[in-house]
Amino acid sequence: MRTSDFSAAPPVGQATAMFVGATRYRGPRSILTLTRTWFKMVKQMKRMDGYRWHTVYYQFPFTLGTIAFFSDRDALLKFARSRHHRDLMCWVTDHGTRNATGGYIRLYNAEPEGYSNGVWRAEADGMAHIPTFTPLSTEAAGPPVHRA
């Protein structure tokens, strides 16, 4: 069912702002040095209002990335201004390529509408599907979910 009420969803399902980023570190020494500030930063992030969930991913050989969800864009941006995050970003970028050789950050906002079913439906707990797919930008209406 299409909905704009995610009050019954788990915290990550209630988030409306998402951060995706990665940093390619110089090598194992940089990654080990990173951990001192990183654990403090994660602890601080989890205590902040608006934090919903995060995960970390690894790409060979020295890239670490984060996907994090926040209640809204302001909560995400407040975290970006936090002490430990600022310290970490300065350490990564202030010395040329001594600690890291590249990175990126992307910020995403959730659309007000989405989908819910079963236990996470705010109005009932029954499983249900939507009758049509969400239309693409070139369509007036999406095709039916079930083929006729």
Side-chain angles (χ1 to χ4, degrees), residues 1-3 5-10 114-130:
M1 103 150 248
R2 286 187 176 97
T3 187
D5 183 355
F6 292 90
S7 60
Y115 303 90
S116 67
N117 60 30
V119 70
W120 295 311
R121 285 177 69 163
E123 69 288 336
D125 64 357
M127 295 286 284
H129 67 81
I130 57 172

Side-chain angles (χ1 to χ4, degrees), residues 7-127:
S7 60
V12 68
Q14 297 175 21
T16 65
M18 181 175 82
F19 166 94
V20 177
T23 302
R24 180 173 294 146
Y25 293 94
R26 189 74 165 156
R29 185 173 177 200
S30 292
I31 291 175
L32 285 173
T33 304
L34 157 79
T35 59
R36 288 194 307 249
T37 303
W38 188 82
F39 283 111
K40 292 175 188 176
M41 183 189 72
V42 169
K43 186 176 180 181
Q44 181 180 31
M45 177 176 66
K46 287 181 172 183
R47 287 192 320 255
M48 294 184 78
D49 287 339
Y51 167 80
R52 294 296 180 254
W53 180 83
H54 82 282
T55 192
V56 176
Y57 64 93
Y58 170 78
Q59 285 183 303
F60 183 82
F62 303 118
T63 299
L64 292 174
T66 301
I67 301 170
F69 292 85
F70 294 85
S71 59
D72 56 37
R73 187 177 176 91
D74 281 348
L76 188 159
L77 295 175
K78 284 179 186 174
F79 166 70
R81 297 176 184 186
S82 69
R83 176 182 159 213
H84 295 300
H85 183 264
R86 183 181 309 177
D87 289 348
L88 180 63
M89 291 298 96
C90 290
W91 175 80
V92 166
T93 60
D94 282 356
H95 306 288
T97 59
R98 185 172 81 189
N99 297 316
T101 60
Y104 71 90
I105 290 172
R106 296 288 296 190
L107 306 180
Y108 297 96
N109 293 311
E111 297 291 331
E113 295 80 26
Y115 303 90
S116 67
N117 60 30
V119 70
W120 295 311
R121 285 177 69 163
E123 69 288 336
D125 64 357
M127 295 286 284

